[in-house]
Amino acid sequence: MPKRIAPNERPYSPVQEALARDVLTRHRDRPDAAPGLAVVEIPAEREEEAPVPGPRAEAVEAPPAPVSFPAPPPAGAEAQPAPRTAKKRDLTREKRMLLTREEERELDRLIEEISDELGVRVKVSNVMRASVTLLFNVREELAKQCRRAQFSKRPRNSEPTEIANFEENLARLFDSAVRNTRHRD
Protein backbone atom coordinates (compact mmCIF):
# COMPACT_ATOMS: atom_id res chain seq x y z
CA MET A 1 0.00 0.00 0.00
CA PRO A 2 1.46 3.42 -0.91
CA LYS A 3 2.53 5.67 1.90
CA ARG A 4 1.05 9.11 2.27
CA ILE A 5 3.34 12.11 2.32
CA ALA A 6 2.87 15.51 3.86
CA PRO A 7 1.65 18.24 1.46
CA ASN A 8 4.92 20.19 1.83
CA GLU A 9 7.09 17.07 1.27
CA ARG A 10 8.36 16.04 -2.18
CA PRO A 11 7.98 12.36 -3.04
CA TYR A 12 11.24 10.41 -3.20
CA SER A 13 12.62 10.11 -6.76
CA PRO A 14 15.95 8.34 -7.32
CA VAL A 15 16.64 10.19 -10.57
CA GLN A 16 15.75 13.83 -10.91
CA GLU A 17 14.92 15.08 -14.41
CA ALA A 18 17.41 17.95 -14.12
CA LEU A 19 20.21 15.57 -13.13
CA ALA A 20 19.53 13.32 -16.13
CA ARG A 21 19.40 16.32 -18.49
CA ASP A 22 22.65 17.67 -16.99
CA VAL A 23 24.46 14.36 -17.50
CA LEU A 24 23.28 14.00 -21.08
CA THR A 25 24.32 17.51 -22.11
CA ARG A 26 27.63 17.39 -20.28
CA HIS A 27 28.92 14.33 -22.15
CA ARG A 28 28.07 15.86 -25.55
CA ASP A 29 29.92 19.10 -24.73
CA ARG A 30 33.20 17.55 -23.48
CA PRO A 31 36.05 18.79 -25.73
CA ASP A 32 38.63 16.79 -23.75
CA ALA A 33 36.95 13.42 -24.36
CA ALA A 34 39.22 10.82 -25.93
CA PRO A 35 38.52 10.11 -29.62
CA GLY A 36 36.26 7.09 -30.04
CA LEU A 37 35.04 7.34 -26.47
CA ALA A 38 32.16 9.22 -24.98
CA VAL A 39 32.78 10.11 -21.33
CA VAL A 40 29.79 10.30 -19.07
CA GLU A 41 30.23 11.88 -15.67
CA ILE A 42 27.69 11.34 -12.97
CA PRO A 43 27.72 14.53 -10.90
CA ALA A 44 27.01 14.62 -7.21
CA GLU A 45 23.41 15.49 -6.43
CA ARG A 46 22.81 19.16 -5.84
CA GLU A 47 21.36 20.15 -2.52
CA GLU A 48 18.09 21.37 -4.03
CA GLU A 49 17.70 18.07 -5.92
CA ALA A 50 18.40 15.81 -2.97
CA PRO A 51 15.49 13.71 -1.81
CA VAL A 52 13.76 14.95 1.29
CA PRO A 53 14.66 12.69 4.21
CA GLY A 54 11.75 10.66 5.36
CA PRO A 55 10.67 7.10 5.91
CA ARG A 56 11.20 6.23 2.23
CA ALA A 57 14.60 7.93 1.79
CA GLU A 58 17.55 5.59 1.40
CA ALA A 59 21.27 6.12 1.88
CA VAL A 60 22.98 7.35 -1.28
CA GLU A 61 26.52 6.26 -2.09
CA ALA A 62 29.08 8.67 -3.48
CA PRO A 63 28.90 8.88 -7.27
CA PRO A 64 31.31 6.63 -9.17
CA ALA A 65 34.18 7.91 -11.26
CA PRO A 66 33.54 8.83 -14.92
CA VAL A 67 32.63 5.85 -17.09
CA SER A 68 33.84 5.50 -20.68
CA PHE A 69 31.73 3.90 -23.36
CA PRO A 70 32.62 3.34 -27.03
CA ALA A 71 31.28 6.20 -29.14
CA PRO A 72 29.19 5.42 -32.21
CA PRO A 73 31.22 5.40 -35.46
CA PRO A 74 31.23 8.69 -37.38
CA ALA A 75 28.74 8.97 -40.22
CA GLY A 76 30.09 7.47 -43.44
CA ALA A 77 32.75 5.37 -41.69
CA GLU A 78 33.39 1.85 -42.90
CA ALA A 79 31.29 -0.74 -41.14
CA GLN A 80 33.43 -2.90 -38.89
CA PRO A 81 32.27 -6.15 -37.35
CA ALA A 82 30.52 -5.44 -34.08
CA PRO A 83 32.32 -6.66 -30.95
CA ARG A 84 30.86 -9.76 -29.38
CA THR A 85 28.34 -8.63 -26.80
CA ALA A 86 26.38 -10.58 -24.27
CA LYS A 87 22.66 -10.98 -24.74
CA LYS A 88 20.30 -9.36 -22.28
CA ARG A 89 19.85 -11.82 -19.47
CA ASP A 90 16.95 -12.15 -17.10
CA LEU A 91 18.79 -13.08 -13.92
CA THR A 92 15.88 -14.57 -12.02
CA ARG A 93 17.23 -17.91 -10.83
CA GLU A 94 19.25 -18.31 -7.68
CA LYS A 95 21.77 -20.99 -6.69
CA ARG A 96 23.22 -21.06 -3.20
CA MET A 97 26.19 -22.66 -1.56
CA LEU A 98 27.57 -22.83 1.93
CA LEU A 99 31.13 -21.88 2.85
CA THR A 100 33.26 -22.24 5.94
CA ARG A 101 34.43 -19.02 7.56
CA GLU A 102 37.92 -19.61 6.18
CA GLU A 103 36.59 -20.24 2.65
CA GLU A 104 34.54 -17.05 2.88
CA ARG A 105 37.61 -15.07 3.97
CA GLU A 106 39.69 -16.57 1.14
CA LEU A 107 36.97 -15.85 -1.41
CA ASP A 108 36.64 -12.27 -0.17
CA ARG A 109 40.44 -11.84 -0.40
CA LEU A 110 40.45 -13.29 -3.92
CA ILE A 111 37.65 -10.95 -5.01
CA GLU A 112 39.50 -8.00 -3.48
CA GLU A 113 42.74 -8.98 -5.27
CA ILE A 114 40.91 -9.32 -8.60
CA SER A 115 39.26 -5.93 -8.03
CA ASP A 116 42.59 -4.30 -7.15
CA GLU A 117 44.38 -5.78 -10.17
CA LEU A 118 41.59 -4.82 -12.58
CA GLY A 119 41.04 -1.42 -11.02
CA VAL A 120 37.27 -1.95 -10.96
CA ARG A 121 34.80 -3.25 -8.39
CA VAL A 122 34.13 -6.96 -8.82
CA LYS A 123 31.48 -8.85 -6.87
CA VAL A 124 31.27 -12.50 -5.87
CA SER A 125 28.35 -12.93 -8.28
CA ASN A 126 30.52 -11.64 -11.16
CA VAL A 127 33.22 -14.19 -10.39
CA MET A 128 30.74 -17.03 -9.94
CA ARG A 129 28.97 -16.27 -13.25
CA ALA A 130 32.34 -16.00 -15.00
CA SER A 131 33.28 -19.39 -13.55
CA VAL A 132 30.05 -20.91 -14.82
CA THR A 133 30.71 -19.39 -18.25
CA LEU A 134 34.18 -20.92 -18.18
CA LEU A 135 32.67 -24.35 -17.49
CA PHE A 136 30.22 -23.86 -20.36
CA ASN A 137 33.14 -22.96 -22.64
CA VAL A 138 35.01 -26.19 -21.80
CA ARG A 139 31.91 -28.39 -21.81
CA GLU A 140 33.14 -30.86 -24.47
CA GLU A 141 36.50 -31.48 -22.83
CA LEU A 142 34.83 -31.63 -19.42
CA ALA A 143 32.51 -34.39 -20.69
CA LYS A 144 35.58 -36.36 -21.89
CA GLN A 145 37.28 -35.91 -18.51
CA CYS A 146 34.12 -37.02 -16.68
CA ARG A 147 33.86 -40.20 -18.77
CA ARG A 148 37.46 -41.09 -17.83
CA ALA A 149 37.04 -40.29 -14.12
CA GLN A 150 36.40 -42.92 -11.48
CA PHE A 151 33.64 -41.53 -9.26
CA SER A 152 31.57 -44.15 -7.48
CA LYS A 153 28.96 -41.87 -5.88
CA ARG A 154 28.48 -38.47 -4.31
CA PRO A 155 29.06 -38.55 -0.54
CA ARG A 156 26.31 -37.65 1.89
CA ASN A 157 26.11 -34.10 3.23
CA SER A 158 26.69 -35.51 6.73
CA GLU A 159 30.24 -36.52 5.65
CA PRO A 160 32.07 -33.17 5.35
CA THR A 161 35.52 -34.69 4.80
CA GLU A 162 34.24 -36.90 2.00
CA ILE A 163 32.38 -33.94 0.44
CA ALA A 164 35.61 -31.90 0.54
CA ASN A 165 37.51 -34.73 -1.20
CA PHE A 166 34.74 -35.09 -3.78
CA GLU A 167 34.81 -31.36 -4.54
CA GLU A 168 38.62 -31.38 -4.74
CA ASN A 169 38.40 -34.16 -7.34
CA LEU A 170 35.81 -32.13 -9.26
CA ALA A 171 38.17 -29.14 -9.16
CA ARG A 172 40.94 -31.31 -10.65
CA LEU A 173 38.55 -32.44 -13.38
CA PHE A 174 37.62 -28.84 -14.16
CA ASP A 175 41.27 -27.77 -14.17
CA SER A 176 42.16 -30.58 -16.55
CA ALA A 177 39.26 -29.67 -18.86
CA VAL A 178 40.32 -26.00 -18.94
CA ARG A 179 43.97 -26.88 -19.63
CA ASN A 180 43.09 -29.35 -22.38
CA THR A 181 40.61 -27.10 -24.20
CA ARG A 182 42.07 -25.46 -27.26
CA HIS A 183 41.70 -21.70 -27.31
CA ARG A 184 39.14 -20.50 -29.84
CA ASP A 185 39.77 -17.20 -31.62
Side-chain angles (χ1 to χ4, degrees), residues 1-122:
M1 180 169 169
K3 300 225 181 212
R4 294 182 186 185
I5 59 171
N8 62 345
E9 188 177 317
R10 283 190 325 194
Y12 173 74
S13 174
V15 178
Q16 300 292 330
E17 182 181 344
L19 173 62
R21 201 176 301 126
D22 186 36
V23 169
L24 291 173
T25 56
R26 217 185 260 198
H27 111 82
R28 268 190 262 129
D29 301 334
R30 287 274 311 249
D32 61 332
L37 292 179
V39 177
V40 179
E41 288 185 12
I42 302 173
E45 287 189 21
R46 294 187 190 114
E47 184 138 339
E48 67 272 7
E49 295 176 350
V52 176
R56 294 178 61 197
E58 297 176 7
V60 178
E61 293 183 19
V67 179
S68 297
F69 298 98
E78 287 185 28
Q80 295 179 345
R84 187 175 161 198
T85 58
K87 296 177 187 174
K88 181 181 182 281
R89 302 179 294 177
D90 292 327
L91 302 175
T92 60
R93 311 310 307 158
E94 179 178 308
K95 298 292 181 187
R96 296 181 183 209
M97 61 186 247
L98 296 174
L99 300 170
T100 64
R101 281 199 170 116
E102 184 56 33
E103 288 171 331
E104 182 182 34
R105 280 189 220 111
E106 282 299 312
L107 181 59
D108 290 343
R109 276 190 223 120
L110 176 63
I111 301 298
E112 188 175 321
E113 289 170 12
I114 292 170
S115 294
D116 289 346
E117 293 297 327
L118 289 174
V120 297
R121 184 171 178 226
V122 176

Side-chain angles (χ1 to χ4, degrees), residues 59-179:
V60 178
E61 293 183 19
V67 179
S68 297
F69 298 98
E78 287 185 28
Q80 295 179 345
R84 187 175 161 198
T85 58
K87 296 177 187 174
K88 181 181 182 281
R89 302 179 294 177
D90 292 327
L91 302 175
T92 60
R93 311 310 307 158
E94 179 178 308
K95 298 292 181 187
R96 296 181 183 209
M97 61 186 247
L98 296 174
L99 300 170
T100 64
R101 281 199 170 116
E102 184 56 33
E103 288 171 331
E104 182 182 34
R105 280 189 220 111
E106 282 299 312
L107 181 59
D108 290 343
R109 276 190 223 120
L110 176 63
I111 301 298
E112 188 175 321
E113 289 170 12
I114 292 170
S115 294
D116 289 346
E117 293 297 327
L118 289 174
V120 297
R121 184 171 178 226
V122 176
K123 295 180 178 182
V124 172
S125 62
N126 302 131
V127 171
M128 300 312 282
R129 278 196 295 270
S131 301
V132 168
T133 301
L134 176 64
L135 290 175
F136 290 159
N137 290 342
V138 301
R139 179 179 267 157
E140 289 178 33
E141 183 62 30
L142 183 57
K144 289 178 191 174
Q145 297 292 330
C146 288
R147 285 190 290 272
R148 290 186 211 144
Q150 299 295 318
F151 283 78
S152 57
K153 64 178 183 169
R154 183 191 173 280
R156 293 181 182 169
N157 288 341
S158 60
E159 301 170 344
T161 304
E162 294 301 314
I163 288 286
N165 290 335
F166 178 77
E167 291 170 349
E168 181 62 33
N169 289 329
L170 283 175
R172 288 187 184 125
L173 260 175
F174 298 166
D175 182 58
S176 179
V178 169
R179 290 174 187 268

